[in-house]
Amino acid sequence: MYYELNRKGDQKMIVLDIRTDNFYSFKDFHMNMSYPKKIVNSYIPDEYLMERPNFRYKKINILLGANASGKTSVGKMLMDIFNFIDKKQYTTIVQKINNPKKEAYFSMDFITSGFKMYRINAIFSPLRVEKYTAENVKVCIREVPITLKDSYETCAEKISNQKCSYDNNFVQELEKVTDLSWLFEYPSDSSIVNTNLNQNVDLYIRVLQNILHTLDPSIEKVEKIAQVENTFVIRMKNKDIVMQDGEVINKDILSSGTKEGIAIASVLTSILGRECSFYYCDEKFSYINSDVEKAILTVMINSIRQNEQLFFTTHNNDILDLPLPKHSFSFLKKEFYEDDFVITCVSASKYLKRATDSLHNAVDNDLFSTAPNLDSIYQLLDFIHN
């Protein structure tokens, strides 16, 4: 598992729109996190900026799609952009450029502190020498105040009407934005999980204990070892397992699902404890029962407060049965187009307009054209006859 936490007090971080080209497998990729019309009796309360009821944004963003459709890449791209803004360094983000011989760019509309919306435009010129330099990086940041009657659409129009100047040094431009706050959690080859002790330790123990006991009833409780910093013990009926500095000792004793539960507990603790305002939980339930995933996601959804935002990626179509607004669901797909593979994002609300439209039926009938092509798998049956 891999995690990244950036906590800046009580500051908020809300992403409203992302466009990118030539990073990862993205080509003219666009994803929008606003919605234009108020939902009556919505399952998600207060899905708008605090004290700005017309400024609606998607608090819950559930991303579905086949393998390699871009769900993890969306999170990594956002994390790269956040770090680029926060650290004001370009060396990491340029490593994600797909074709260095072509221009790469991204733009993002977002909110941090106060009633102010930002738009960052960044252009990375084609590589002409051995490696990128600051001369390859051009950044423009524009901002507008969010008035009482403003919506995202009106603010976006105001920003679009402003001139975008790339004259300043990109570091000077990035200094216009401060106090970004986020948590990313997604799979990797590392076995390290987040046991960040800025969190409420008692809350973390309670969440971890409840989740692990649900996944493995032989786990009786979780305790903090007082004598050793950042160390916990998972007590089972016949054995104990130690977790120190985020690494599980004797991890082979635990099932794959139980190990995933440790990372999930960290994310849920951060949400319950208001550690951040932006959360990206990616592919954490591959080995976990569908009902358990739905239950944990339900707790996450009900714990996300106003001025906070959750991204959650999954392969589990049972999640479609949750009583969420259709705009909460987006589908990613990778298609071959003009001699290249292109990732696109389709919002369910674009196709399903009526309250009675069934999202599950739409997916079962592949309305969004996101089902994987299984022809190559079934072609293996030819070997039966050879």
Side-chain angles (χ1 to χ4, degrees):
M1 284 76 71
Y2 177 87
Y3 73 92
E4 180 170 294
L5 174 69
N6 189 61
R7 186 177 186 273
K8 297 289 181 69
D10 296 324
Q11 303 299 333
K12 58 180 173 284
M13 180 72 195
I14 301 170
V15 177
L16 301 157
D17 192 87
I18 176 74
R19 298 174 185 268
T20 186
D21 182 59
N22 199 23
F23 284 95
Y24 294 94
S25 295
F26 297 123
K27 183 177 181 180
D28 293 328
F29 176 82
H30 180 218
M31 183 177 178
N32 185 267
M33 276 65 69
S34 68
Y35 68 100
K37 185 177 180 182
K38 181 180 178 181
I39 307 296
V40 179
N41 297 322
S42 175
Y43 180 78
I44 305 176
D46 303 327
E47 201 172 13
Y48 54 83
L49 190 64
M50 188 179 295
E51 299 180 21
R52 298 293 188 270
N54 294 326
F55 199 97
R56 293 178 284 271
Y57 74 96
K58 300 176 185 179
K59 288 171 64 176
I60 310 299
N61 297 270
I62 308 232
L63 308 185
L64 299 100
N67 295 97
S69 60
K71 300 184 298 297
T72 298
S73 295
V74 169
K76 289 185 175 181
M77 186 68 214
L78 288 171
M79 188 173 68
D80 289 333
I81 293 173
F82 292 177
N83 276 298
F84 176 63
I85 296 172
D86 190 55
K87 295 180 172 60
K88 301 168 182 58
Q89 298 174 353
Y90 64 87
T91 52
T92 298
I93 195 168
V94 295
Q95 295 174 12
K96 315 304 169 54
I97 292 176
N98 185 34
N99 186 348
K101 296 181 179 180
K102 293 184 178 180
E103 181 180 276
Y105 82 88
F106 70 78
S107 71
M108 185 176 75
D109 293 352
F110 62 101
I111 299 171
T112 58
S113 57
F115 295 111
K116 191 182 298 182
M117 189 177 95
Y118 294 92
R119 176 175 296 170
I120 177 172
N121 293 83
I123 298 174
F124 301 81
S125 60
L127 191 59
R128 305 298 184 190
V129 291
E130 184 177 352
K131 61 181 181 179
Y132 286 95
T133 69
E135 298 299 318
N136 293 100
V137 185
K138 303 295 182 184
V139 172
C140 166
I141 292 181
R142 291 168 285 178
E143 62 183 71
V144 293
I146 304 172
T147 66
L148 185 61
K149 295 184 179 181
D150 269 329
S151 64
Y152 164 72
E153 290 76 15
T154 59
C155 288
E157 183 178 2
K158 291 177 186 177
I159 285 185
S160 296
N161 289 333
Q162 294 180 6
K163 180 182 178 181
C164 190
S165 174
Y166 295 95
D167 295 337
N168 293 335
N169 178 283
F170 80 90
V171 174
Q172 292 177 325
E173 282 293 290
L174 295 176
E175 287 175 349
K176 295 178 180 179
V177 181
T178 59
D179 299 327
L180 281 70
S181 171
W182 69 78
L183 173 65
F184 287 88
E185 180 91 39
Y186 56 85
S188 77
D189 295 332
S190 170
S191 62
I192 304 296
V193 298
N194 178 13
T195 58
N196 170 60
L197 290 186
N198 284 330
Q199 300 174 130
N200 183 317
V201 177
D202 293 335
L203 175 62
Y204 176 70
I205 291 174
R206 175 67 184 276
V207 173
L208 181 61
Q209 181 174 286
N210 285 20
I211 290 178
L212 294 187
H213 181 71
T214 301
L215 296 171
D216 184 349
S218 69
I219 293 176
E220 296 180 331
K221 60 181 177 179
V222 176
E223 296 176 342
K224 174 78 173 66
I225 299 179
Q227 297 83 359
V228 186
E229 185 178 1
N230 200 20
T231 302
F232 302 84
V233 58
I234 301 169
R235 301 203 183 278
M236 307 177 74
K237 289 188 180 297
N238 300 317
K239 60 182 73 70
D240 294 338
I241 299 173
V242 175
M243 185 170 62
Q244 184 174 20
D245 294 327
E247 185 169 11
V248 180
I249 311 300
N250 299 326
K251 57 182 175 291
D252 292 338
I253 297 174
L254 300 176
S255 70
S256 298
T258 307
K259 285 183 282 191
E260 281 190 338
I262 297 174
I264 293 164
S266 178
V267 177
L268 186 52
T269 303
S270 292
I271 293 174
L272 291 170
R274 303 197 71 173
E275 281 291 306
C276 301
S277 61
F278 178 97
Y279 303 89
Y280 201 100
C281 183
D282 179 53
E283 304 284 5
K284 304 309 299 180
F285 294 83
S286 300
Y287 300 99
I288 291 180
N289 175 274
S290 173
D291 289 338
V292 176
E293 180 179 2
K294 288 172 65 177
I296 293 174
L297 176 57
T298 298
V299 174
M300 288 181 173
I301 291 170
N302 283 277
S303 302
I304 291 291
R305 302 165 181 83
Q306 217 168 354
N307 290 357
E308 296 180 351
Q309 192 174 39
L310 171 67
F311 285 74
F312 186 93
T313 77
T314 182
H315 289 285
N316 183 7
N317 284 351
D318 289 344
I319 297 298
L320 300 171
D321 295 327
L322 293 176
L324 299 174
K326 292 181 178 64
H327 67 240
S328 298
F329 296 92
S330 295
F331 297 84
L332 296 175
K333 58 183 178 180
K334 182 184 287 187
E335 298 177 299
F336 192 73
Y337 178 74
E338 292 185 352
D339 299 325
D340 200 1
F341 285 97
V342 179
I343 295 174
T344 56
C345 178
V346 179
S347 175
S349 59
K350 180 179 179 180
Y351 291 86
L352 305 178
K353 304 293 186 181
R354 298 174 299 181
T356 55
D357 289 337
S358 169
L359 183 57
H360 213 145
N361 287 343
V363 172
D364 288 343
N365 290 288
D366 200 21
L367 176 66
F368 310 114
S369 301
T370 55
N373 188 329
L374 304 177
D375 291 346
S376 296
I377 301 296
Y378 287 117
Q379 286 173 9
L380 298 175
L381 291 171
D382 294 340
F383 287 96
I384 295 176
H385 307 292
N386 294 331

